[in-house]
Structures are given as C-alpha cells and as structure tokens.
C-alpha cells in the first residue's frame, strides 16, 4: 500500500503531466458513462458548497456538463483521429438534441440542483448547449444527419428564451430593469456569446441586435464593469463582484465574442481582467500560492478593492486560469507576473492526484469537495494535451486501483465504477457509477452492482492535509 500526502511540494508540472495522467483522466469517463452519449457524475458545486444531488440520489447527466464532455470528445478526435472519439462526440450531440423538450428549452438544466425533468434552470445552463451545438455544427467531422437538426433546434430555443426568460431577473432584480436575462454577468455573457454565434451561423442578424448587443453593452458598461480593478459586478447581490472562478467563464465568453465580432474593446477587457487576476494571488499558510475566492470591493468607490476573501478556492479551475494567464503574457510580457504564474504552476503540480484528477475545492467548510471525484475535466484534459504536445497518445486502458482519499473527517473510496463517501468512518453515500439514480444512502445497503466490501483494502491512500 502506498500513502501520499498533499500538497506534494517540490513537484513541477512536467513531473505530473504525463501520458499516465491522461490515461487516468479518460478512464474516469469510462467509469461514469451511462449511455452512448451520456456521462454522469456527482453534480457538486464547490464555490457555493452545494451537495444536494447526493441526498436526491442522483449521479446522472446535466446538460452543461454534457456539452463540455462533447466539446472535449471533439478535441480528442481532432488530436488522435481515433474513431471512438468521433462516435462519442456524435452520440453526445444527439443526446443534447434529445434533451430539448417540446417547448424549445432543455431539461437537465440545473447542474448542482439536478435532477430536473422540466424546463427549470437558469440562462447559463440553457445557453451552454446552444454554444455546444454551434461548435458541433461547424465541426468538420460532424454527422450530417445530426447536423441537419441543429438549425431548427436553435430557432426553437431562441423563441422559447425570448418569450419566457428575457429580463426574468434574479434575487437582486426581478424583473430586470435593463437588457439581460438573469442579470448575472457570467450567465448573461454566455447567453450573448451563444446568440452572437447562432445569429451569424444561421442567418439571423436580428437576434444579436435585439438580444445580444444591448446585453453586451450593459455588461461592459461602467456601472457593471470596473476597469480600474478589472472586475465585474456579479449582479445577483449588492456590492458583490464576480468570484475568481467565474472569470474563467467570463474570459471564455469574451474570447468567443471577440472571434465573432472582432471588437477591440472585447480583447481589451479580456487582457484587463486577466491582468487583475494576478491581484488575487496570495501565499497560503503552507507556503504555496493560491488565488483568493473573490474581492471585497468598496460599496461607494468601485475603483477600490478593500480586501480579498480567502476562504474556499475552486481549485480545479486553476488550470484554465493559467491558460488565460499564458495567453496574456504572450501579449504583455512581465517578469513579475511570470513569477506568479510559476508559483501557481507549482501549486497545481502539488495537488495532481494519483488518478490524474484535481481537487474540486480546497479550504472550504465541507471537506467533501477536496476528495470527491467528478469526471468533467474538460479544461484539465485540454491543459494536459497542450502540455504533452506531440508526445500525447490516444489514452490506453488502466488497471483500476482501490483508492482511499481523506481530508479531515471525510474519505472518498473508489475502485473503477464503484465509489463511496464516508464521514467519521461511517459510509453515508455510495454507488455503482453507471446507474444515474443509484446512490445508496447510509451505512446499510449495497450498490446496484458489486459490493462496498471491495473498497476496503486500498492500493493507495491519499491524505489531503
């Protein structure tokens, strides 16, 4: 039995980003694949600490995550040319279309609040599959019969959203007194990017003029975007800037919008936001560098950051943040900022786990987020592929190990498709991962297939200190 304590200081990314890491990451997909085009997972939300899917017994699909899986499958086919990745991408595109109901909206659009079999949800989860379908429509390897269904699906979705969700608002504003969907910056930017892409792709420029341009102008206005500190107001509270992890979504959408519109203000905003992400860096008690959860801004003078919230960090997003930092530094070299990147790379390397995954969250009140496995690692897989470059090979099967991963009083146990969560040494949840509604609660009972006794003799024990 091997025991590993984290963080493993002194490791470099080249030490841990290997072919074996890629193999392990894709093995998790196989563990959680529940149908030809559907991959389940535990839809936990580390930033807000939401775990209600466990009590609901649900470990199935959610459409935003399914979209991410499809986009990654497309990337894997583009990288390796192996037929299985094209077949999987096609099946996932078909599944996204299947999840559109008669109204034009999508079911399973609530992520951490799944399962949802009606059209409940929020704009980010409604519009993310539209972005994915647009990506698939433009993919050279798309199945023509699936591709042919997409324009009509997008038109039905636009009709539903504009009739039912436009200016619906959120807790702080209901209905919205300005152009938008829910008024939360990251969500409204996802909607705007989807509309900008779809309006161009399917010949509906009026869509963007009516429900895209006004929202983008609002998002980038002085009352919502504080250029001096590179932060956006989130929108569902008061004096509540977007949290650090959400800037990955914002930056991704600014890039998409720049690709569609070619407006310099979008690239300027991208670079300004990234430049100020460096302000969030701090050295933790362990001597490693992290990014603060979010800024505490002055309620009157929005050019001032009064301090930083250094609680829970959504750690699994660090790889994508680093990718944006790399891009920024190619245009704006800085020895000082490069030093921060180097330290963040060391922190990332220190937490690459034995199964190739990253902790979802660190330093939070709920230790579960440090140990639970969620297979939706699209940005991390992309990061690993970029780092491996031409040395990357199509992932190979791996031998499933019995893994115990502990942080404080929580332990995650897994062997292939069998997993369990223990609190204070007592099993509280467990399942066979291929069964969407198969989570067993409490210490009694057995999974749909196999036995929890198979998890009791670990090959590797990981302790997150």
């Amino acid at each position: 039995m091997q025991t590993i304590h984290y963080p493993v200081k002194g490791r470099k990314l080249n030490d841990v980003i290997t072919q074996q890491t890629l193999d392990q990451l894709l093995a998790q997909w196989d563990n959680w694949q529940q149908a030809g085009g559907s991959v389940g997972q535990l839809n936990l939300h580390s930033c807000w600490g939401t775990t209600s899917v466990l009590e609901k017994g649900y470990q199935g699909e959610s459409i935003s995550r399914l979209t991410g899986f499809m986009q990654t499958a497309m990337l894997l086919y583009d990288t390796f040319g192996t037929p299985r990745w094209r077949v999987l991408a096609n099946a996932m595109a078909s599944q996204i279309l299947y999840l559109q109901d008669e109204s034009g909206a999508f079911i399973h659009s609530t992520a951490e609040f799944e399962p949802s079999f009606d059209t409940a949800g929020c704009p980010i989860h409604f519009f993310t599959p539209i972005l994915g379908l647009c990506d698939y429509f433009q993919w050279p390897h798309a199945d023509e019969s699936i591709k042919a269904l997409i324009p009509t699906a997008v038109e039905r979705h636009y009709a539903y959203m504009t009739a039912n969700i436009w200016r619906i608002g959120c807790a702080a504003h209901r209905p919205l007194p300005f152009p938008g969907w829910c008024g939360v910056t990251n969500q409204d930017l996802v909607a705007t990017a989807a509309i900008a892409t779809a309006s161009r792709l399917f010949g509906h420029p009026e869509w963007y003029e009516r429900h895209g341009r006004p929202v983008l102008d609002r998002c980038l206005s002085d009352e919502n975007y504080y250029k001096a500190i590179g932060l956006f107001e989130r929108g569902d509270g008061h004096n509540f800037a977007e949290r650090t992890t959400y800037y990955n979504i914002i930056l991704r959408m600014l890039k998409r919008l720049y690709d569609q519109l070619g407006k310099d203000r979008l690239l300027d905003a991208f670079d300004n936001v990234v430049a100020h992400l460096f302000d969030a860096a701090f050295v933790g008690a362990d001597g490693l560098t992290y990014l603060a959860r979010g800024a505490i801004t002055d309620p009157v003078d929005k050019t001032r950051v009064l301090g930083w919230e250094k609680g829970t960090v959504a750690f699994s997003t660090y790889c994508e943040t680093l990718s944006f930092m790399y891009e920024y530094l190619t245009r704006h070299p800085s020895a000082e900022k490069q030093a921060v990147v180097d330290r963040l790379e060391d922190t990332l390397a220190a937490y690459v786990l034995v199964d190739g995954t990253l902790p979802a969250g660190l330093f939070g009140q709920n230790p579960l987020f440090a140990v639970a496995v969620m297979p939706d690692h699209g940005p991390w897989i992309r990061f690993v592929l970029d780092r491996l470059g031409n040395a990357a090979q199509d992932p190979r099967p791996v031998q499933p190990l019995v893994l115990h991963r502990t942080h404080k009083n929580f332990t995650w146990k897994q062997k292939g498709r069998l997993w369990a969560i223990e609190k204070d040494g007592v099993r509280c949840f467990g399942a066979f991962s291929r069964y969407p509604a198969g989570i067993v609660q409490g210490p009694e009972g057995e999974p749909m297939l196999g036995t929890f006794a198979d998890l009791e003799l670990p090959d590797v024990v990981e302790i997150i200190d």
Side-chain angles (χ1 to χ4, degrees), residues 131-366:
L131 280 172
L133 290 174
C134 288
D135 288 347
Y136 182 83
F137 189 85
Q138 300 173 85
W139 191 43
H141 312 292
D143 181 288
E144 291 297 329
S145 64
I146 299 172
K147 183 176 173 179
L149 301 175
I150 292 175
T152 300
V154 173
E155 289 170 3
R156 292 175 59 230
H157 180 268
Y158 176 78
Y160 174 87
M161 294 299 293
T162 53
N164 296 279
I165 309 299
W166 178 245
R167 290 190 171 182
I168 194 170
C170 57
H173 309 282
R174 192 180 296 276
L176 283 188
F178 47 79
W181 301 90
C182 65
V184 175
T185 298
N186 74 82
Q187 297 207 34
D188 277 8
L189 282 175
V190 170
T192 303
I195 287 173
T197 305
S199 65
R200 177 190 60 81
L201 202 56
F202 303 116
H204 294 286
E206 72 280 6
W207 290 2
Y208 178 70
E209 293 303 321
R210 292 174 187 168
H211 297 102
R213 186 189 304 278
V215 182
L216 181 59
D217 289 343
R218 158 69 190 178
C219 287
L220 294 176
S221 68
D222 291 343
E223 60 186 353
N224 191 69
Y225 168 47
Y226 311 124
K227 294 181 183 179
I229 55 176
L231 298 176
F232 287 87
E233 192 70 24
R234 180 174 166 84
D236 58 354
H238 299 283
N239 191 40
F240 183 23
E242 284 276 19
R243 289 304 182 236
T244 302
T245 185
Y246 283 95
Y247 285 99
N248 284 355
I249 298 172
I250 289 170
L251 291 167
R252 214 182 303 141
M253 294 308 112
L254 289 174
K255 286 186 66 174
R256 278 184 173 267
L257 286 162
Y258 179 72
D259 290 342
Q260 296 299 320
L261 306 173
K263 302 295 185 182
D264 288 343
R265 67 171 177 160
L266 295 166
L267 187 59
D268 290 343
F270 177 94
D271 280 349
N272 189 44
V273 169
V274 179
H276 285 284
L277 280 178
F278 289 90
D279 300 341
F282 71 95
V283 178
D286 56 8
L288 295 174
T289 297
Y290 300 89
L291 297 174
R293 182 170 184 259
I296 302 168
T297 52
D298 189 308
V300 178
D301 181 2
K302 289 299 186 178
T303 66
R304 296 180 61 210
V305 174
L306 301 180
W308 293 91
E309 184 183 342
K310 298 176 182 177
T312 305
V313 297
F315 188 79
S316 62
T317 65
Y318 275 26
C319 56
E320 189 172 21
T321 305
L322 277 168
S323 296
F324 293 134
M325 289 177 168
Y326 298 155
E327 181 177 343
Y328 170 86
L329 286 170
T330 62
R331 289 193 290 270
H332 308 280
S334 164
E336 180 182 0
K337 286 182 170 60
Q338 182 62 54
V340 175
V341 164
D342 293 343
R343 295 198 301 272
L344 286 171
E345 284 186 344
D346 290 347
T347 304
L348 188 63
Y351 283 101
V352 176
L353 303 169
V354 75
D355 59 0
T357 65
L358 302 170
L362 296 172
F363 311 128
Q365 293 184 345
N366 189 341

